[in-house]
Amino acid sequence: QANFSEHTRPNEVLWIKSPGFPDSPYTENTFNQWKLRADRGNIVKLEFDSINLEPDCKNDFVKIYDSLVAIESRALVELCGYFSPSAPPTFYSSGNVMLVTMGTNEEHNFPGFQAKVSQVSLGSMSKG
């Protein structure tokens, strides 16, 4: 199990990726988590550049939470399978934190994922 922590800065893009990506498939029977933080008054933007996991979420998954702890009521989405890079899944936190988790089982290792993390000012998100 590995824990990663990233803090974004204004006008900065960080990258997170599954261990081994893109050179080797992700390892089996692992659980990794990435704690993402933005500055106060900003939210976290997570944009998947590449995601290719086993198609069944019961086996391998990436799960995103609108918090720093894996509380089911704060889960935003669970991803598995393949997503086209031309339509990258993108998610936003409601506050200045987000948690990305990845769980894998013992079979069928796929390439994994790579995602861009940045922060967005709450002011720039307001509509109207």
Side-chain angles (χ1 to χ4, degrees):
Q1 173 167 334
N3 292 297
F4 305 94
S5 192
E6 300 286 353
H7 191 120
T8 65
R9 304 282 175 220
N11 308 310
E12 177 184 83
V13 174
L14 300 171
W15 290 89
I16 64 170
K17 60 185 182 176
S18 54
F21 187 90
D23 303 317
S24 57
Y26 49 79
T27 50
E28 54 198 34
N29 289 320
T30 57
F31 183 80
N32 297 309
Q33 57 181 19
W34 292 262
K35 291 182 175 181
L36 309 177
R37 292 175 173 87
D39 294 338
R40 188 183 299 277
N42 292 267
I43 58 173
V44 177
K45 177 184 180 183
L46 178 71
E47 183 180 354
F48 284 89
D49 176 65
S50 176
I51 181 164
N52 188 356
L53 307 175
E54 193 172 349
D56 186 346
C57 283
K58 287 190 194 71
N59 297 325
D60 299 344
F61 62 86
V62 168
K63 199 163 187 178
I64 301 164
Y65 297 88
D66 194 17
S67 62
L68 280 182
V69 285
I71 305 170
E72 211 47 46
S73 62
R74 301 303 298 273
L76 290 174
V77 68
E78 186 173 58
L79 302 171
C80 52
Y82 173 78
F83 292 83
S84 168
S86 62
T90 303
F91 305 96
Y92 296 90
S93 62
S94 62
N96 67 331
V97 296
M98 182 185 278
L99 177 71
V100 179
T101 65
M102 179 183 185
T104 67
N105 72 351
E106 66 278 358
E107 39 190 70
H108 307 307
N109 296 341
F110 283 71
F113 78 88
Q114 176 173 274
K116 291 188 280 199
V117 181
S118 57
Q119 67 178 24
V120 179
S121 160
L122 280 173
S124 70
M125 292 293 287
S126 59
K127 297 169 177 63

